[in-house]
Amino acid sequence: MEIVYLLIPIAILLVLLIIWLFFWAIKSGQFDDLEGPGHKILMDRDEVDSIPPDHNKDP
Amino acid sequence: MREPATPTLCFHCGLPVAKGIDLKVEIDSQPRPMCCHGCEAVAKAIVQGGLEDFYRYRTGPSPTGRDLVPEFLKRSKIYDNPEIQKTFVTTAPGTRPGATLQEASLILEGIVCAACAWLNERHLNQLPGVIEANVNYATHRAHIKWDNRLIKLSDILVAISHIGYLAHPYDPNRQQQILAKERREHLKRLGLAGVLGMQVMVLAVALYSGDWFGIEAEFRQFFYWVSLALTTPVIFYSAQPFFTGAWRDIKNRRPGMDVPVTLGITLAFLASVNSTIHGSGHVYFDSVVMFVFFLLGARYLELGARKQSGDACDTLIKLQPTMATRLTNHLEETVPAVALQPGEIILIRPGEIIPADGCVLQGLSSVDESLLTGESLPLQKKPGDMVIGGTLNYESALTVRVEHSGANTVLAGLQQLVDRAQSEKPRLAQLANHVAGWFVFTVIVTATIVGLYWWQADPERWLPITVAVLVITCPCALSLATPTALTAATGKLTQAGLLVSSSNALETLSRVTHMVFDKTGTLTEGKLQLVKIHPLADVDVNSCHQIAAALEARSEHPIARAINSNIDPILNSSHVHNTPGAGLLGEVNGCRYFIGTSQYIESKIQIALPESQLADLEQSGHTVVILAQAGRLLAAFELGDTLRADSKNLIDALYTLGIEPLLLTGDSEFAAKSVAERCGISHYRSRLSPQEKLYHVKNLQAQGKIVAMVGDGINDVPVLASSHVSIAMGSGAQLAAIHADMVLLSTHLSHIATGITLAKKTLMIIKQNTTWALLYNLCALPLAAAGWVAPWMAAVGMSASSLVVVANAMRLLKTANPIDIDK
C-alpha cells in the first residue's frame, strides 16, 4: 500500500498540469466561441482543395 | 397577393423576385436569380472574392441587399475622424518600423449562420492592410487589426457592406465586455473546483470504504492531508465570490443567499481542518468542494443567459457619434457635435440628425420630433423656429444658429431627469433574499442551540454534530432554486424576442398591477401609412395612386414614403417642384399635377375641398393630402399611424391577467382617444410632457401599485427609468433600450403578455423550489441534531435535494412553447 505515497503525488502533478492547460485555454479565448470554429474548419478544408496554395495571400 | 402560386425566389436573400426583374449571377456554374441590384452586387462580390463556398454551407437565406443604405456608407467616413476613434480604437506600435497598428471591435449585423461568420472572416482577411480579423459567431462580434497607412476603418466597413452585412464599431469598455471578462474568471473558478473536486471525491471514496472495511490510521491521516491540500485552493480561489458577496450583504444589512453559503462552507472546512490536525473526527472536504462546484455551475449558467440577452441589447445600442457641419465664413467643416459652441452656425442636410438645440436662420423643412415628443407627424420649421438636438431633419437643408450645446440642451436635460428617476427607482424585495434572511437566522439559532446542548450532554461529540447540522441544512437546494428557474425563463424569453437585461425584472414583472403604454411607436407602428384613398372625381383609384407615387418618388418625407410603399412604380415624373411643408407639383405623362395639403391645392388651383368633408377625413386624427390637376380635384389620400396588429390582443390579455393598462402620450387628445378606443384601453391621458408622465407613474406607485412601462421614445426614458419594471421597443430610441429592464425585439406586442405569464410561472417554480428546499431542511434538521446522520447521508441528501430543484426548473423549458416565434 506504500505505493500511494508515490501515486497520489503523481496524480496531483497531473491535476496541476490539467489546471494549467485549462487556464491557458481560457486565457487564449478557446471558450469564447463554442460554435463557430466547429463549422469553420469544415469550410476551410474544402477551400484549400480548390485553390492552389500560392493563391493564398501574404499576410 | 397578386403573385403567382410559386414565385421565383432570390438565390441570395430568399425573397420573391418581382415580375419584370431579370437579374442573374453565376454561382456554382449556374445562373441564379436575384431580386434586386443590391443582392446582385453582394453575390458578385462574394463570387469574385473566391468565397462561393459560402452558398454551399450556409443554413439560411442571407440578409437582403435591398436595404443596404447608402446613407450609412456616407456616414461611415466619420469613423475615420481621430477624435471619434478615440473611444473605440486602440493603437499599438506595429511590428515594422513606421507602421501603426490599430485595433477595434465591430458588431456585425445580419449574421444568421456559421457560414456568415466564416464569409466575413475570410473576406476581411483578404483585404490589403488588414493584419488580422476574427469573427466570433456566438456573439456576432468581429475583432480586427489593421495598418492605418494601407486601409482606413471606413474602407473596412464599406468592404463588409459589399458582401451584404452591416458593421458598426462599439465601445469595448461597455458593461457587456466587463461581463465577458467576469465569465472567463467564473469559468476558471468552476474548472478548478471541478478538477480538484474529482480528486477529493476519489480520496473520499477510499475513506468511506475505509470506514466500512477498515483502513490503517496512517493512510487515513495521509488522505486527510491530501484532501486538505486539494480543497484549500477551492476555498480560497473558487469560492471567493461567495465570500465577497456575503461580506457585501452583511455590510448592507441585507442577508442574501451568500451568507448561509459562506457560513456552511467556512464551518465545514474549519471543522475538517480541525479533524485533520487532531487526527480524529470527520472530514467534509468532499461535501465542501461539491457544494462549491454545484453553486458555481448554476451561477455560470445564469451568467450565460444574462450575457446572451445582454449581447443582443448591445447590438441595439450603436455607437453613432453625431457629427455636425459647421459653417465658418461660408466654409463647411465637419466637427463632432460635442465641440459646438452657442452662436456658431451649422448646416443640417436632409436625413441628418440635428446636433444641438438652435434657431433656424435659413431654409424650410420638416423635422421629426416623434422620439422626443410622441408627436407622430413631422413638424414644419421655418426661419425663426427652434429645433431640438437629437431630432431628425427630413426634407431640405437648414441653416441653424446654435443656441445651446452640451449639457444645456433639451436632450441633456432629459438625461438628468433620467438619472434622478433611476436613483429613485423603487425596488421590490426579492423573494429569494427574503427567504434567505429568515433561513440564515433559523440555521444559526438552531446550530447554536444544538451545539450548546451537546456541549452539556456529550462534550466529545458537539463539534461533529453541529457541523452535521450545518452541512445537512447546507443551503444548496435553496440557493439553486432561484438561479436555475431564472436561467430557464430568460432563455425561453430570449427565443421569443423579449430580452431581459436586469436580473430582478422577471420577478417584478410577475407582480405588476398597472401597465403604462406610450402611443407612437409602441401601440402603433410609429410611422405613417396609407389608410385609404378617397376618389374626389370620376377617376380610377389605382391610377391616382400611381400618379401620386410618381410625384413623391424623390421625396424622403414620411408622407411620400407612405404613399410609395406597397406599390410598383410604373410612371415617371419630371419638372418636380417642392414647397417644403406644403406640397409639390410636377409633370406625369406630360400632364401637370399637384399634391399636398388642402391649403396648398387651394392656392394652386383655386378649388378647395369642402370644410365638412375635410373634417370628416381628419376626424380620426389622420392626415390628408390631396391630388389635383388644373381645374379639378382627383383624390384624397388618408394617412395615419396604424395600430400594431396585436395591440388589441395584448390589451385584452392584460385585462384577463388582471392588469390595468393605461395610455400616457405627448400627442394630441384626438390621436390618443382614437388609439385608446381601438385597443380597448379605458384610461388615457394626452399632451403630457416627460415630467408629467413621470408624475403620473409616481402617483400610482405612491398608491402601492406596481407599475410596468412600455415605451420607445426618448420622452419615455425618464418614466422607463422610474417604473418598477420597464420594457423598451427594440425599434425605438437607443437611449430607451439602454435604460430598460427588458427590450422587446419581436414585432409582436403580445409577447409581453407571454412574458408576464412566463414570469408568473417562473415565480411559482421558485416558490415550489424554495418550499421543497425548506421542507427537506426541516425534516433533516432534527435527525442531524439528534446525531443520527452520518456524513455520507448528509452528502447524498444534499445532492438529491439539489437535483430535484434543478429538474423542477427545467420544466420551464419543457412547457410546450406558448410563444409563436415568427408566425
Side-chain angles (χ1 to χ4, degrees), chain A residues 22-53:
Chain A
F22 184 62
F23 278 28
W24 168 83
I26 291 174
K27 203 177 156 200
S28 62
Q30 306 282 325
F31 287 91
D32 287 356
D33 183 4
L34 295 176
E35 272 177 89
H39 294 279
K40 227 177 273 173
I41 192 168
L42 292 174
M43 294 168 207
D44 275 349
R45 190 195 61 205
D46 283 290
E47 221 225 358
V48 173
D49 285 350
S50 59
I51 294 179

Side-chain angles (χ1 to χ4, degrees), chain B residues 438-480:
Chain B
W438 182 80
F439 181 81
V440 182
F441 180 74
T442 320
V443 166
I444 292 175
V445 169
T446 319
T448 321
I449 294 172
V450 170
L452 281 175
Y453 169 77
W454 284 99
W455 178 267
Q456 304 293 329
D458 187 355
E460 278 287 287
R461 292 178 65 197
W462 80 271
L463 187 65
I465 289 178
T466 315
V467 170
V469 166
L470 283 169
V471 170
I472 204 154
T473 58
C474 129
C476 195
L478 199 56
S479 43
L480 282 173

